[in-house]
Amino acid sequence: MFTKFFYTCKNKGLHVSMSEWLTLQEALDKGLAGSSLTQFYYLARMILVKSETEFDKFDQAFEECFQGIQSENEITSQMLKWLDKSDMEELAHEEARKWLNEGEELQIDKQDVEEKFKQRLRDQDSEHNGGSFWIGTMGKTSFGNLGGNVGGVRVGGKTGYQSAFAVMGARKYKDFRDDRMLDNRQFQLAFRRLRQFSTKLDVPRTELDIPGTVDKTCNNGGCLQIVMEKPRKNAVKLLLLFDSGGTMIPFSSLMNELFQAVDKSNHFKDVKCYYFHNCIYSKLYKTPECENGDWVDTEWVFRNLDSDYKVIIVGDAAMAPEELYSDSGNYRGPNGGLSGWEWLQLMKRHYKKIIWLNPKMAPGRAPWREAESAIRETLPMYKLTVEGLNQGMIKLMSPGREW
């Protein structure tokens, strides 16, 4: 069973070293998990998992290996059905507030609550609501949900007063994964990170440098030494280029989230957004519809948006080789006498910092995606996930040209 758990963790993408695995075995030999599956879960997670981004992978591996093991804390599907009172949450919360306001401060014995919980699980054979003994809802019992008890074990329902000792059966960490697709909030956090590394003005030092002040004061034997720094200016200029239409249609919602995150952001000195279809050619479109005539010259962009703009190209790079390499490969508009490949080379030559974000990047160098592989060799390309976006931001923030 434990050997299976080790390989299941590896298969789920967890980087578990042999040293960590042996440390877990040593902890078990010392009885640190007791005879409790729950304690084993937390012990194993503490030793084997290095980041909260991997908690969900660990949970899936643990469930796959140990879900069939009988536990005195096992919650049946029938029990969860009894406890589902989602349509009565508002009324229940109002009653619970009254009880909490009227009640006295209680000293809660966690061990006693857990022992009683195990006993109720063994004995209970029907639904209970409003009471103070069985596992139920809308009562003063220490077990269940939507009740007025200030401590206990919440089973089912949604988080209420954050007073439970344990929350059973929820994948609470799936939003922490770094390989999941992004949403608006994560886009905004990434752009805020890019803003934090904006350049400083060549102006007098008028802002307090707290880390510098602490450092200097410590080095001065505790006598206060004030250190000032130059103020930061919102100096990041951003050029966003979106692939639109065709194979990008399934990602329209994701592209809209990215656009909205940029549009609502105040982290940049200037933001320009243009669109293209499959590859960049002599024209960049003003709208996602990519209609003929509703465009600007790519050369105009080069002339008017200087090399300090940080460029993010977003697209799946899914195009036929001739669309990339032929000077007549653009079937929706003019090529300007150059192939898409040559326009990308001009883009790379003009801008100091440029990355490509791909919502469905193939693993490795896929021979059936020749165009994508070629672009990856000339531009830094990252998958449009939490981890990929963070890597892309680091690339944009790194000093100097790296090609």
Side-chain angles (χ1 to χ4, degrees), residues 178-191:
D178 59 10
D179 58 351
R180 69 187 292 270
M181 279 295 183
L182 294 144
D183 57 26
N184 189 287
R185 178 178 174 274
Q186 289 160 328
F187 280 130
Q188 291 193 45
L189 289 174
F191 291 137

Side-chain angles (χ1 to χ4, degrees), residues 244 275 283-296 332-333:
S244 183
Y275 302 85
K283 306 289 184 182
L284 291 170
Y285 297 90
K286 297 179 181 178
T287 64
E289 289 74 24
C290 296
E291 295 180 350
N292 281 354
D294 192 16
W295 53 39
V296 298
R332 295 191 60 162

Side-chain angles (χ1 to χ4, degrees), residues 8 34 60 122 172 176 210 283-284 310 314 357 359 379:
T8 304
Q60 290 185 71
R122 288 192 290 267
K172 298 184 290 181
F176 287 66
I210 296 178
K283 306 289 184 182
L284 291 170
K310 298 185 187 299
V314 187
L357 299 176
L379 293 176

Side-chain angles (χ1 to χ4, degrees), residues 64-304:
E64 185 174 319
C65 290
F66 300 108
Q67 63 180 346
I69 293 179
Q70 289 294 319
S71 168
E72 56 188 350
N73 289 352
E74 185 176 353
I75 311 299
T76 66
S77 57
Q78 180 61 59
M79 175 73 75
L80 291 174
K81 186 176 179 181
W82 289 338
L83 296 169
D84 182 9
K85 295 291 184 295
S86 53
D87 56 336
M88 301 180 67
E89 283 187 23
E90 188 174 343
L91 174 61
H93 285 162
E94 185 59 37
E95 290 299 313
R97 288 189 194 96
K98 292 179 183 177
W99 293 332
L100 289 171
N101 290 334
E102 295 170 1
E104 297 179 359
E105 188 87 20
L106 297 176
Q107 294 296 321
I108 300 166
D109 186 333
K110 178 180 176 181
Q111 186 174 355
D112 181 59
V113 169
E114 290 180 341
E115 286 301 319
K116 288 179 179 176
F117 175 60
K118 294 171 188 176
Q119 186 64 43
R120 302 293 189 277
L121 277 176
R122 288 192 290 267
D123 298 344
Q124 187 164 336
D125 58 5
S126 62
E127 178 178 349
H128 289 269
N129 303 296
S132 59
F133 184 81
W134 294 108
I135 302 171
T137 64
M138 301 178 289
K140 296 184 180 180
T141 175
S142 297
F143 330 103
N145 66 81
L146 296 179
N149 197 294
V150 296
V153 179
R154 179 173 67 81
V155 188
K158 299 179 181 178
T159 302
Y161 297 102
Q162 303 293 333
S163 61
F165 289 134
V167 179
M168 308 294 184
R171 282 181 61 191
K172 298 184 290 181
Y173 301 102
K174 61 183 179 181
D175 289 340
F176 287 66
R177 295 178 65 119
D178 59 10
D179 58 351
R180 69 187 292 270
M181 279 295 183
L182 294 144
D183 57 26
N184 189 287
R185 178 178 174 274
Q186 289 160 328
F187 280 130
Q188 291 193 45
L189 289 174
F191 291 137
R192 188 177 303 145
R193 186 179 183 187
L194 182 61
R195 160 68 180 86
Q196 289 171 350
F197 286 81
S198 62
T199 57
K200 295 184 179 181
L201 290 171
D202 187 17
V203 295
R205 300 174 182 268
T206 57
E207 292 187 357
L208 178 64
D209 178 359
I210 296 178
T213 297
V214 172
D215 239 11
K216 197 92 181 255
T217 300
C218 291
N219 292 334
N220 197 38
C223 291
L224 182 62
Q225 290 286 302
I226 301 294
V227 178
M228 306 300 289
E229 65 177 350
K230 297 175 183 177
R232 287 186 180 272
K233 182 186 177 184
N234 196 342
V236 175
K237 296 179 288 186
L238 186 65
L239 172 59
L240 275 170
L241 302 175
F242 293 98
D243 187 359
S244 183
T247 55
M248 284 296 291
I249 290 176
F251 304 104
S252 296
S253 177
L254 182 64
M255 295 302 98
N256 183 59
E257 293 283 2
L258 174 53
F259 179 83
Q260 293 297 327
V262 173
D263 188 55
K264 294 174 182 176
S265 176
N266 61 352
H267 303 311
F268 307 107
K269 180 179 181 180
D270 188 36
V271 177
K272 293 288 189 291
C273 293
Y274 295 105
Y275 302 85
F276 63 92
H277 180 66
N278 285 349
C279 192
I280 293 169
Y281 300 105
S282 63
K283 306 289 184 182
L284 291 170
Y285 297 90
K286 297 179 181 178
T287 64
E289 289 74 24
C290 296
E291 295 180 350
N292 281 354
D294 192 16
W295 53 39
V296 298
D297 291 333
T298 304
E299 289 184 338
W300 179 92
V301 172
F302 291 159
R303 290 193 303 270
N304 288 273

Side-chain angles (χ1 to χ4, degrees), residues 331-377:
Y331 63 88
R332 295 191 60 162
N335 278 71
L338 300 174
S339 66
W341 176 257
E342 290 170 311
W343 281 110
L344 287 177
Q345 295 298 324
L346 289 175
M347 183 77 62
K348 174 183 173 180
R349 218 171 290 149
H350 181 71
Y351 292 105
K352 297 175 183 176
K353 292 294 175 184
I354 177 171
I355 63 170
W356 188 301
L357 299 176
N358 192 330
K360 61 173 185 179
M361 188 165 72
R365 296 292 189 268
W368 62 90
R369 299 196 67 176
E370 181 182 335
E372 179 188 303
S373 297
I375 292 172
R376 288 171 70 171
E377 290 175 2

